[in-house]
């Protein structure tokens, strides 16, 4: 796999600002000159058939409003028409009330062109309007300072004011694809309260990296936002779980690290202070990180490790699955929850506030000088398949059809190996230098799956160098030599070789 | 090709908002009991030979300080016994530099180990007239609040991104920030971020936009173009023209901009050098692109994306060749539309 240099797969529109408890902010539309507009750049070319916003409340009978998208001049809507539509919100106590719901308003379909700046504008159209007859929408996230683009402006009293906070808006193509930031609100407002967490409940970022991205990748860590246990001497864990499709075992734990919650920027000298959600950058501690497969679903969970410890994994909430698709990464990344580690995950239309930190990312399976293999005299096979550069199934998993066990030294690895970087055969040489002959060979060329695990002591000493010569076709003149230097692993009872 | 759904390849060392007032948060060590501790996590399997800190000031003749790696005890505090350390007496030529110090013995840490890096008084005269100050963190009104990693200065915990790093001869980790640059770029100058991804990351991909932090021209009628180009062939592939008047914070403060290219979006290859370029269109367009400066190109390995993503500049009136500033990282993230692995 290629070194991904710990780049983050950015899934969040922004990171938490210092402001405590970012919540939704509103823009009242209570005069004939009140407006709210959202300025953004079209992400791609599409025919737009609906515009969306998060409606707060209608006060008495609301007037009718117009919603449209327009061109932009000098950072403001220029009235140059795109599509438009109208809406009249029901009364707040109407069974069909829009109170605190995401609303799509159909418009006359019109084209948005990738890279062009547009404004979505909501303004008064007709009907009685005043301080007793109006509607309010949630236009932004208070305290989530935004950016150059997108941004929003409103004019509660008729004078347009450009705002700093992150806007809440959306637009939808006639084919149903959603764009913008159609988020309900700040994670703290919507995530499960800490009191509901117990020792066994788990909250996770479910993620499926699309299959076409490549064959395999490794997650080195995560940047996640939330609150850690508030009491002293508590811990929590960050874990990655696989699925049955991945390992043959439901809820297979692929990575885990326990974090002492006392290590916190919020512990003020023993008097714990928790003002707001914070960013936690946590890396896993496995010697060799788990290989994750593109196209399969994994769950990155933040787990309290004792009953008195609570954690809160912050999450955005969306009106539905299509709206979740508007965020970076789309609906492939979602919040999942379950009552215990042995339960099935429930998938929600939410996006946890997190980014994956990727260490390696593979393209087509091919060997590289980075092959990494370990051999142990006592633990041989278990460690072999953890560390070999192949796709061996997990030894702890139930056997699949056609697979064979291979835990014992001197027994063949057998059909557990699915592939070894595309190679079929292997020769093994000891201290060959430049002499790859019968003088240095310790295993003749043979199918990789027939290679017996090396029982160490009788064969090599602690300073040996082994060379594994791999071929994709038996007897081929083309091969790859992988050199393995050897050192003792303290306390493991075995020897390590590492290329 | 797989739809990437516009995920960003985040290449910034800090999670943050538009950092309008980025500065260094500094701490003066002027008595024998004052100290700075950074709590960090080793995120690779390597032998560490050096530790790095940023020297911010010297008063009089600075005493000698000890910089050490410590285990973290069960109560979350740094163990009093160093794993390894190095003594350092600050000197004038190190001022405002990120200083690498060779440890008296290399430190081999497993991946994921939590450690503290502590700098404290060791010997010599110390007091209000003989002291040194170090940059402990990046300050910025809109920077994210960090829970971990973090720093403690004389008992006070800090939520802003730490400034501390460690390395060996091959690689660096942490946040070895020497300076935060805001170099004004004016027509016909151009500035950008060169990037190159390994060939075995996949076959090809497409970039639909970029996220960058900087400042746009404040006066009216100014333009800034952002473009994607192949460096080797000097072939421009995509360009978006920005009317700075459309920006809400132009000329006032740094802001974070998500910018998308118009059609067509080209398929580009792994293993090829590209640049995301920023081209002011007017002589008085005082654009800047916020950029982190390290002390050496190796230090760039500490940042996401590693040493393959760095600043380039050119002056079109002189040459179309890019000058490569391999120790500088512009605040640019790529918005990926498709990825074909």
């Amino acid at each position: 796999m290629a070194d991904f240099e710990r780049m983050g797969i950015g899934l969040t529109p922004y990171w938490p600002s210092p402001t405590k408890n970012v919540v939704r902010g509103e823009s009242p539309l209570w005069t004939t000159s009140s407006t709210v507009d959202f300025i953004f750049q079209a992400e791609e070319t599409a025919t737009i058939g609906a515009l969306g916003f998060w409606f707060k409340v209608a006060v008495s009978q609301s007037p009718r409003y117009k919603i449209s998208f327009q061109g932009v001049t000098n950072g403001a809507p220029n009235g140059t028409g795109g599509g438009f539509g109208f809406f009249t919100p029901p009364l707040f106590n109407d069974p069909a009330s829009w109170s605190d719901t995401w609303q799509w308003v159909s418009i006359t379909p019109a084209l948005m062109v990738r890279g062009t700046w547009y404004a979505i504008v909501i303004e008064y159209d007709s009907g009685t309007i005043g301080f007793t007859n109006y509607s309010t929408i949630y236009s932004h996230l208070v305290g989530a300072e935004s950016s150059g683009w997108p941004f929003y402006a409103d004019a509660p009293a008729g004078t347009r004011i450009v705002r700093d906070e992150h806007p809440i808006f959306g637009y939808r193509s006639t084919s149903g694809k959603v764009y913008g930031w159609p988020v309900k609100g700040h994670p703290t407002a919507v995530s499960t309260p800490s009191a509901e967490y117990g020792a066994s409940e788990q909250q996770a970022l479910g993620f499926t990296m699309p299959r076409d991205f490549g064959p395999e990748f490794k997650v080195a860590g995560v940047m996640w936002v939330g609150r850690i246990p508030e009491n002293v001497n508590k811990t929590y864990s960050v874990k990655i779980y696989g699925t049955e499709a991945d390992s043959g075992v439901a809820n297979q734990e692929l990575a885990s690290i326990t974090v002492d919650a006392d290590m916190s920027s919020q512990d003020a000298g023993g008097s714990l202070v928790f003002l707001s959600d914070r960013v936690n950058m946590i890396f896993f501690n496995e010697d060799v990180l788990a290989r994750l497969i593109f196209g399969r679903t994994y769950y990155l969970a933040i787990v309290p490790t004792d009953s008195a410890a609570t954690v809160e994994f912050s999450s955005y909430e969306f009106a539905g699955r299509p709206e979740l698709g508007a965020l970076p990464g789309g609906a492939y990344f979602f919040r999942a929850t379950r009552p215990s580690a042995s339960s099935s995950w429930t998938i929600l239309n939410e996006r946890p506030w997190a980014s994956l930190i990727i260490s390696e990312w593979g393209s087509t399976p091919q060997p590289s000088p980075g092959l990494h293999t370990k051999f142990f005299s006592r633990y041989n096979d278990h460690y072999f398949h953890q560390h070999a550069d192949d796709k061996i199934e997990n030894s702890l998993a139930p056997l699949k059809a056609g697979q064979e066990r291979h835990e014992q030294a001197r027994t063949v690895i057998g059909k557990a190996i699915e592939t070894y970087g595309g190679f079929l055969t292997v020769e093994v040489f000891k201290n060959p230098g430049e002499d790859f002959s019968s003088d240095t060979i310790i295993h003749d060329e043979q199918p990789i799956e027939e290679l017996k695990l090396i029982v160490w002591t009788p064969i090599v000493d602690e300073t040996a160098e082994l060379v594994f010569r791999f071929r994709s076709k038996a007897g081929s003149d083309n091969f790859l030599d992988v050199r393995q230097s050897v050192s003792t692993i303290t306390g493991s009872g075995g020897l390590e070789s590492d290329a | 090709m797989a739809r990437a759904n516009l995920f960003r390849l985040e290449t910034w060392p800090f999670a943050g908002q538009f950092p309008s007032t980025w500065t260094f948060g500094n701490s003066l060590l002027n008595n024998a009991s004052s100290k700075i501790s950074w709590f960090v996590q080793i995120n690779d399997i390597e032998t560490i030979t050096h530790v790095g800190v940023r020297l911010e000031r010297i008063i009089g003749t600075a005493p000698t300080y000890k910089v050490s790696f410590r285990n973290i005890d069960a109560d979350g505090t740094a163990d009093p016994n160093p794993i390894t350390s190095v003594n350092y007496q600050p000197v004038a030529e190190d001022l405002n530099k990120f200083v690498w110090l060779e440890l008296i013995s290399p430190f081999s840490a497993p991946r994921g180990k939590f450690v503290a890096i502590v700098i404290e008084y060791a010997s010599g005269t110390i007091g209000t007239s003989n002291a040194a100050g170090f940059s402990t963190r990046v300050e910025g009104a809109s920077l994210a609040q960090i829970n971990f990693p973090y720093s403690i200065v004389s008992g006070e915990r800090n939520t802003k991104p730490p400034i501390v790093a460690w390395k060996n001869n091959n690689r660096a980790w942490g946040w070895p920030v020497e300076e935060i640059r805001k170099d004004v770029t004016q027509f016909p100058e151009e500035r950008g971020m060169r990037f190159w991804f390994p060939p075995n990351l996949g076959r090809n991909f497409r970039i639909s936009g970029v996220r960058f932090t900087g400042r746009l021209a404040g006066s009216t009628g100014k333009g800034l173009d952002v473009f994607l180009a192949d460096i080797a062939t000097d072939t421009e592939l995509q360009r978006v023209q920005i009317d700075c008047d459309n920006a809400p914070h132009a000329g006032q403060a740094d802001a974070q901009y998500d910018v998308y290219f118009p059609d067509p979006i080209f398929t580009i290859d792994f293993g090829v050098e590209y640049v995301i370029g920023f081209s002011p269109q007017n002589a008085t367009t005082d654009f800047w692109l916020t950029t982190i400066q390290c002390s050496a190109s190796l230090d760039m390995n500490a940042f996401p994306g590693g040493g393959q993503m760095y600043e380039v500049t050119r002056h079109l009136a002189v040459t179309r060749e890019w000058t490569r500033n391999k120790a500088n990282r512009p605040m640019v993230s790529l918005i990926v539309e498709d990825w074909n692995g």
Side-chain angles (χ1 to χ4, degrees):
Chain A
M1 278 191 267
D3 192 338
F4 210 62
E5 300 279 8
R6 291 159 289 162
M7 279 190 288
I9 298 298
L11 305 173
T12 65
Y14 63 91
W15 290 98
S17 70
T19 306
K20 176 185 176 183
N21 293 338
V22 180
V23 295
R24 289 173 293 174
E26 61 196 63
S27 292
L29 296 162
W30 49 27
T31 74
T32 55
S33 57
S34 296
T35 62
V36 58
D37 61 76
F38 306 92
I39 309 296
F40 60 95
Q41 210 185 358
E43 297 174 7
E44 58 187 9
T45 300
T47 299
I48 303 303
L51 304 176
F53 52 88
W54 207 289
F55 189 80
K56 182 185 179 187
V57 69
V59 176
S60 298
Q61 179 57 59
S62 174
R64 189 171 90 149
Y65 296 97
K66 180 181 180 181
I67 185 168
S68 62
F69 77 84
Q70 308 175 9
V72 175
T73 300
N74 294 335
N78 62 14
T80 303
F84 63 92
F86 301 91
F87 63 92
T88 304
L91 288 168
F92 75 93
N93 57 357
D94 189 298
S97 166
W98 287 7
S99 294
D100 200 9
T101 58
W102 179 261
Q103 292 296 324
W104 286 111
V105 176
S106 295
I107 62 170
T108 51
L111 193 67
M112 278 193 189
V113 178
R114 184 202 295 269
T116 302
W117 275 265
Y118 292 99
I120 291 176
V121 182
I122 302 175
E123 57 194 326
Y124 168 79
D125 177 68
S126 61
T128 302
I129 190 168
F131 293 130
T132 56
N133 295 91
Y134 69 98
S135 290
T136 295
I137 68 163
Y138 286 118
S139 55
H140 61 282
L141 299 170
V142 175
E145 290 88 349
S146 182
S147 53
W149 299 296
F151 70 93
Y152 89 102
D154 62 4
T159 301
R160 184 174 181 266
I161 304 170
V162 174
R163 308 288 188 176
D164 284 341
E165 292 88 353
H166 204 285
I168 301 172
F169 70 103
Y171 53 105
R172 189 174 68 191
S173 72
T174 50
S175 64
K177 185 170 182 180
V178 177
Y179 307 86
W181 299 111
V183 62
K184 178 176 181 179
H186 178 264
T188 299
V190 299
S191 60
T192 306
S194 299
E196 293 183 26
Y197 285 66
S200 59
E201 184 170 349
Q202 296 190 335
Q203 305 292 328
L205 166 70
F207 60 97
T208 309
M209 297 282 272
R211 186 181 300 276
D212 289 348
F213 278 17
E216 299 172 341
F217 64 105
K218 292 182 177 180
V219 175
V222 62
M223 276 214 280
W224 70 277
V225 175
R227 302 183 191 201
I228 62 173
E230 300 188 14
N231 302 313
V232 296
N233 299 326
K234 301 299 181 186
T235 60
Y236 70 95
S237 293
V238 181
K239 296 175 181 289
I240 294 179
Y241 292 98
T243 59
E244 187 165 3
D246 181 60
S247 63
V249 175
N251 304 321
Q252 176 73 32
E253 185 177 298
L254 302 173
S256 177
I257 184 166
T258 299
V259 182
D260 180 353
D262 293 330
M263 291 187 299
S264 164
S265 66
Q266 299 172 90
D267 181 343
S271 176
L272 296 173
V273 178
F274 294 86
L275 296 175
S276 62
D277 291 348
R278 302 286 168 90
V279 178
N280 297 275
M281 182 187 292
I282 301 296
F283 292 89
F284 293 109
N285 59 357
E286 281 76 14
D287 284 346
V288 177
L289 298 168
R291 293 172 177 278
L292 308 185
I293 310 298
F294 287 99
R296 293 181 180 175
T297 301
Y298 300 93
Y299 297 88
L300 189 144
I302 309 298
V303 182
T305 47
D306 46 343
S307 59
T310 60
V311 295
E312 184 175 291
F313 192 2
S314 298
S315 189
Y316 303 99
E317 184 179 354
F318 294 83
R321 195 84 172 161
E323 286 76 17
L324 181 60
L327 257 70
Y332 291 116
F333 301 83
F334 50 85
R335 179 183 168 206
T337 181
R338 59 181 178 180
S340 72
S342 60
S343 306
S344 297
W345 292 101
T346 298
I347 295 173
L348 304 174
N349 293 325
E350 295 186 29
R351 169 65 67 78
W353 211 349
S355 277
L356 301 174
I357 301 171
I358 308 294
S359 64
E360 294 175 68
W361 184 302
S363 55
T364 53
Q366 53 186 315
S368 71
L371 287 175
H372 181 101
T373 308
K374 290 185 177 181
F375 296 88
F376 290 78
S377 58
R378 286 192 285 127
Y379 306 108
N380 46 45
D381 190 44
H382 176 65
Y383 283 89
F384 179 87
H385 84 214
Q386 282 194 4
H387 297 289
D389 205 58
D390 55 23
K391 291 182 177 177
I392 299 174
E393 293 294 320
N394 190 317
S395 69
L396 302 178
L399 289 177
K400 292 181 178 178
Q403 284 187 334
E404 297 173 358
R405 282 290 183 206
H406 52 281
E407 279 87 359
Q408 302 303 314
R410 295 186 184 281
T411 60
V412 295
I413 297 174
K415 296 179 181 176
I417 295 179
E418 293 179 347
T419 175
Y420 199 104
F423 291 115
L424 295 177
T425 69
V426 60
E427 290 175 283
V428 185
F429 299 86
K430 173 189 171 185
N431 296 326
E434 299 302 318
D435 178 20
F436 291 89
S437 68
S438 57
D439 293 334
T440 59
I441 197 165
I442 58 175
H443 279 283
D444 293 326
E445 183 180 13
Q446 57 192 283
I448 295 174
E449 63 267 29
E450 292 180 11
L451 174 67
K452 294 179 180 180
L453 293 167
I454 296 171
V455 174
W456 200 259
T457 309
I459 299 176
V460 296
D461 54 39
E462 294 182 5
T463 58
E465 178 192 60
L466 297 184
V467 176
F468 293 77
R469 175 163 288 185
F470 295 101
R471 292 182 173 86
S472 56
K473 182 179 179 182
S476 171
D477 292 333
N478 297 318
F479 52 81
L480 176 76
D481 286 341
V482 179
R483 294 177 181 271
Q484 311 275 322
S485 59
V486 176
S487 61
T488 301
I489 300 298
T490 304
S492 71
L495 296 167
E496 177 188 54
S497 67
D498 197 348
Chain B
M1 190 178 284
R3 172 78 184 173
N5 217 343
L6 307 185
F7 73 66
R8 293 188 314 279
L9 289 179
E10 291 187 334
T11 59
W12 299 12
F14 310 125
Q17 284 300 105
F18 59 101
S20 57
T21 55
W22 266 35
T23 57
F24 290 104
N26 305 307
S27 301
L28 186 66
L29 297 181
N30 60 3
N31 67 64
S33 61
S34 58
K35 62 183 176 184
I36 304 165
S37 304
W38 293 272
F39 288 76
V40 301
Q41 195 184 11
I42 304 298
N43 55 48
D44 220 331
I45 302 173
E46 288 285 354
T47 297
I48 299 160
T49 59
H50 292 71
V51 63
V53 294
R54 184 180 187 276
L55 180 65
E56 181 264 335
R57 101 181 95 154
I58 296 175
I59 299 174
T61 300
T64 297
Y65 297 94
K66 174 181 283 188
V67 188
S68 59
F69 278 92
R70 310 283 188 88
N71 287 313
I72 295 176
D73 291 340
D75 61 358
T77 60
D79 188 273
N81 301 309
I83 301 170
T84 184
S85 66
V86 56
N87 282 352
Y88 170 56
Q89 183 176 23
V91 293
E93 53 262 41
D94 289 346
L95 271 175
N96 296 314
K97 299 279 179 59
F98 195 85
V99 184
W100 286 109
L101 307 168
E102 185 170 4
L103 297 162
I104 55 174
S105 59
F107 167 41
S108 295
R111 187 204 310 275
K113 180 180 177 64
F114 293 93
V115 296
I117 297 172
V118 178
I119 183 166
E120 59 195 331
Y121 168 79
S123 63
T125 301
I126 189 169
T128 54
S129 302
N130 297 93
F134 299 88
S135 299
T136 56
R137 60 199 181 274
V138 174
E139 288 284 4
S142 299
L143 275 170
Q145 297 276 57
I146 309 293
N147 186 60
F148 188 92
Y150 65 102
S151 60
I152 300 178
V153 180
S154 299
E156 182 178 344
R157 300 184 183 224
N158 198 286
T159 63
K160 293 302 170 62
I163 300 296
V164 71
W166 55 100
K167 73 167 188 174
N168 60 25
N169 288 331
N170 300 314
R171 191 152 192 167
W173 297 269
W175 304 267
V177 179
E178 181 164 282
E179 201 55 73
I180 298 166
R181 304 186 66 89
K182 296 181 177 181
D183 299 321
V184 172
T185 306
Q186 293 192 339
F187 178 85
E189 297 170 314
E190 291 183 339
R191 186 174 300 274
M193 184 180 78
R194 175 267 195 196
F195 65 95
W196 176 94
F197 291 133
N200 48 344
L201 273 184
R203 278 169 279 183
N204 45 51
F205 63 117
R206 300 200 302 164
I207 294 173
S208 65
V210 297
R211 169 174 286 188
F212 70 94
T213 294
R215 195 183 73 169
L216 303 188
S219 51
T220 58
K222 306 301 182 187
L224 173 73
D225 287 6
V226 181
F227 61 90
L228 167 69
D230 181 322
I231 287 185
T233 61
D234 194 22
T235 303
E236 183 176 305
L237 303 171
Q238 297 166 200
R239 175 177 288 253
V240 58
Q241 298 177 326
I242 297 174
D243 178 354
C244 297
D245 297 332
N246 282 341
H249 300 289
Q252 301 168 18
D254 284 10
Q256 176 178 284
Y257 296 93
D258 286 357
V259 173
Y260 296 90
F261 294 107
D263 289 316
I265 302 298
F266 284 83
T267 298
I268 60 178
D269 297 319
F270 294 100
V272 176
E273 277 190 314
Y274 296 102
V275 59
I276 294 292
F278 295 83
S279 178
Q281 297 299 296
N282 312 86
T284 56
T285 304
D286 51 344
F287 163 76
W288 71 51
L289 179 63
T290 307
T291 300
I292 292 175
Q293 174 186 312
C294 296
S295 65
S297 57
L298 175 66
D299 300 1
M300 199 71 74
N301 282 320
F303 299 153
Q308 297 294 351
M309 310 180 90
Y310 52 79
E311 180 191 59
V312 290
T313 59
R314 66 182 178 185
H315 195 295
L316 290 176
V318 179
T319 178
R320 293 191 64 82
E321 287 291 315
W322 291 98
T323 298
R324 297 164 186 260
N325 307 316
K326 296 185 177 181
N328 291 357
R329 168 66 63 83
M331 303 299 274
V332 176
S333 285
L334 306 176
I335 300 174
V336 178
E337 177 154 309
D338 299 297
W339 187 293
N340 189 4

